[in-house]
Amino acid sequence: EAKRGGRSTYRFFEASMNEAATRTLKIQHALHEALGADYFSLYFQPKFRGGNGELTGAEALLRLRHPELGLLPPMEFIPIAERSGQIVQIGYWVVRETCRQIRRWKESGLPAIKVAINLSPRQLEQSDLVATILDIVRSEQVPCEQIMFEITETIAMQDAPKTTNMIREFQENNFEIAIDDFGTGYSSLAYLQRFRAKQLKIDRFFTNGLDEYDREGSAIVSAIIKLAHSLEMEVVAEGVETASQLAKLKSMMCDQMQGFLLGKPLTVEEFSTLLHGQKGGNVIMLEKYRASA
Ligand code: C2E
Ligand code: MG
Ligand code: MG
Ligand code: MG
């Protein structure tokens, strides 16, 4: 097809293919070195209570910082690590590093918050996943209650008894489970009967659809919130970017909010500053939150 546009188009096409392939190779190489060379870091995105804007927790988000490639978002390297299987070891690093950070915050006298960690399909295939995570969390002396695991709807809906059992195993050990990216998995809702997640996270696609005059978008979000509440799940809206989205979500009784409007993924230092503001029970009332009240 590309050839039809002539030789130069073809060359251009070939060149950009090569560029993409070279970048993938570089990322693969970076991934091999990453754990040993300390290329990974965690960012923490704050989550806030719908009613009063109180900080409720954080989601740990992985970044790869490479001397040549710069700071890579997960979209660039997680799929590669999934395919190679490296995500399994990387995932354990994420758990350990999250635990260590929780400990450091505790040792600085900062309030204990819940931190959510993302899990991808390849990780859920490890039959010793829960046992290995338990070893890490115990050796870092962090209460399991402080850790939540986010699994995407696509994983959750898999009818394999193995998946269901693993989710229950997490819950029996007092880890909480959140369903991530809800509404995007083309899934049936049957899985909601098989286990009870603590939280349901509305994908940011739906949050974006909450604009002023989008009646359908609002109807869908409102229905998701009612469904979750009737199943005794908390609802978290992802990707809250505008004051009008925030106001609508609050009026729909959405329990928690997460998004660039309220807080981007923060470095450890930035997040620690935010936590200092909570010390002694001072509830952070963000300016943006007040403005939409
Ligand atoms: P996710 O779990 O759905 O995480 C939310 C993503 O949305 C994050 O992207 C976050 O930065 C972004 N986000 C948050 N608020 C807003 C907003 O208001 N607007 C927009 N446009 N985006 C917003 P990020 O950090 O690039 O992560 C992408 C995905 O990579 C995550 O999606 C998650 O599936 C995966 N991921 C991240 N860290 C890990 C990890 O440690 N392990 C695994 N297995 N996957 C991870
Ligand atoms: Mg997530
Ligand atoms: Mg999500
Ligand atoms: Mg997502």
Side-chain angles (χ1 to χ4, degrees), residues 87-185:
I87 190 65
V88 174
Q89 290 313 314
I90 296 170
Y92 294 138
W93 181 89
V94 172
V95 173
R96 189 177 296 281
E97 198 49 38
T98 299
C99 288
R100 290 191 173 156
Q101 196 49 59
I102 289 175
R103 277 273 303 277
R104 284 182 211 119
W105 283 325
K106 188 184 175 196
E107 283 158 12
S108 317
L110 294 171
I113 52 151
K114 277 195 179 146
V115 183
I117 294 173
N118 291 283
L119 294 175
S120 46
R122 192 78 174 247
Q123 295 174 269
L124 270 293
E125 282 169 19
Q126 310 302 307
S127 53
D128 61 348
L129 181 72
V130 181
T132 309
I133 286 177
L134 262 180
D135 279 348
I136 297 171
V137 172
R138 284 185 181 143
S139 76
E140 298 296 336
Q141 295 171 286
V142 166
C144 299
E145 291 78 6
Q146 259 185 280
I147 298 180
M148 179 179 269
F149 289 100
E150 298 194 359
I151 58 172
T152 60
E153 189 181 33
T154 322
I155 298 178
M157 67 171 279
Q158 280 168 16
D159 212 3
K162 253 177 70 181
T163 313
T164 309
N165 287 340
M166 187 164 288
I167 290 167
R168 292 199 179 125
E169 204 186 333
F170 273 116
Q171 292 173 326
E172 280 157 14
N173 285 290
N174 297 321
F175 293 113
E176 286 177 349
I177 296 290
I179 308 291
D180 207 355
D181 303 344
F182 184 79
T184 59

Side-chain angles (χ1 to χ4, degrees), residues 6-285:
R7 214 164 263 281
S8 64
T9 310
Y10 180 72
R11 282 222 194 88
F12 177 76
F13 182 67
E14 194 180 44
S16 60
M17 285 285 283
N18 279 339
E19 218 171 277
T22 307
R23 189 169 172 83
T24 302
L25 276 175
K26 279 186 181 158
I27 294 172
Q28 278 170 349
H29 190 73
L31 282 170
H32 278 293
E33 297 184 316
L35 285 171
D38 212 16
Y39 288 161
F40 287 121
S41 58
L42 291 181
Y43 278 55
F44 294 90
Q45 186 177 30
K47 293 157 84 173
F48 299 93
R49 199 174 304 291
N52 59 6
E54 177 191 4
L55 180 75
T56 54
E59 177 172 3
L61 294 161
L62 187 61
R63 300 287 181 269
L64 197 160
R65 194 187 302 274
H66 188 265
E68 189 192 334
L69 298 166
L71 190 67
L72 301 182
M75 218 182 63
E76 281 218 69
F77 64 87
I78 298 249
I80 298 173
E82 262 294 296
R83 255 176 275 134
S84 69
Q86 286 163 303
I87 190 65
V88 174
Q89 290 313 314
I90 296 170
Y92 294 138
W93 181 89
V94 172
V95 173
R96 189 177 296 281
E97 198 49 38
T98 299
C99 288
R100 290 191 173 156
Q101 196 49 59
I102 289 175
R103 277 273 303 277
R104 284 182 211 119
W105 283 325
K106 188 184 175 196
E107 283 158 12
S108 317
L110 294 171
I113 52 151
K114 277 195 179 146
V115 183
I117 294 173
N118 291 283
L119 294 175
S120 46
R122 192 78 174 247
Q123 295 174 269
L124 270 293
E125 282 169 19
Q126 310 302 307
S127 53
D128 61 348
L129 181 72
V130 181
T132 309
I133 286 177
L134 262 180
D135 279 348
I136 297 171
V137 172
R138 284 185 181 143
S139 76
E140 298 296 336
Q141 295 171 286
V142 166
C144 299
E145 291 78 6
Q146 259 185 280
I147 298 180
M148 179 179 269
F149 289 100
E150 298 194 359
I151 58 172
T152 60
E153 189 181 33
T154 322
I155 298 178
M157 67 171 279
Q158 280 168 16
D159 212 3
K162 253 177 70 181
T163 313
T164 309
N165 287 340
M166 187 164 288
I167 290 167
R168 292 199 179 125
E169 204 186 333
F170 273 116
Q171 292 173 326
E172 280 157 14
N173 285 290
N174 297 321
F175 293 113
E176 286 177 349
I177 296 290
I179 308 291
D180 207 355
D181 303 344
F182 184 79
T184 59
Y186 303 100
S187 65
S188 90
L189 295 175
Y191 71 88
L192 292 175
Q193 291 188 317
R194 293 204 313 274
F195 58 88
R196 191 57 35 91
K198 173 81 176 176
Q199 288 184 350
L200 193 150
K201 301 188 76 179
I202 303 180
D203 192 81
R204 86 174 124 89
F205 172 83
F206 295 104
T207 307
N208 284 343
L210 274 177
D211 288 320
E212 216 76 59
Y213 299 105
D214 188 343
R215 279 192 49 234
E216 290 76 15
S218 296
I220 290 171
V221 172
S222 161
I224 294 174
I225 293 172
K226 283 180 190 143
L227 170 73
H229 284 169
S230 66
L231 293 170
E232 284 162 25
M233 288 187 276
E234 293 173 358
V235 187
V236 184
E238 298 190 271
V240 180
E241 290 182 351
T242 67
S244 101
Q245 289 166 1
L246 178 62
K248 277 209 173 164
L249 288 161
K250 283 167 77 175
S251 76
M252 292 173 181
M253 309 303 284
C254 183
D255 303 283
Q256 294 190 36
M257 321 287 181
Q258 193 181 347
F260 291 171
L261 175 74
L262 302 165
K264 294 198 166 153
L266 303 174
T267 63
V268 165
E269 291 71 32
E270 292 166 333
F271 197 88
S272 303
T273 306
L274 191 64
L275 271 182
H276 268 286
Q278 298 272 295
K279 223 172 153 179
N282 289 331
V283 169
I284 292 182
M285 290 288 278

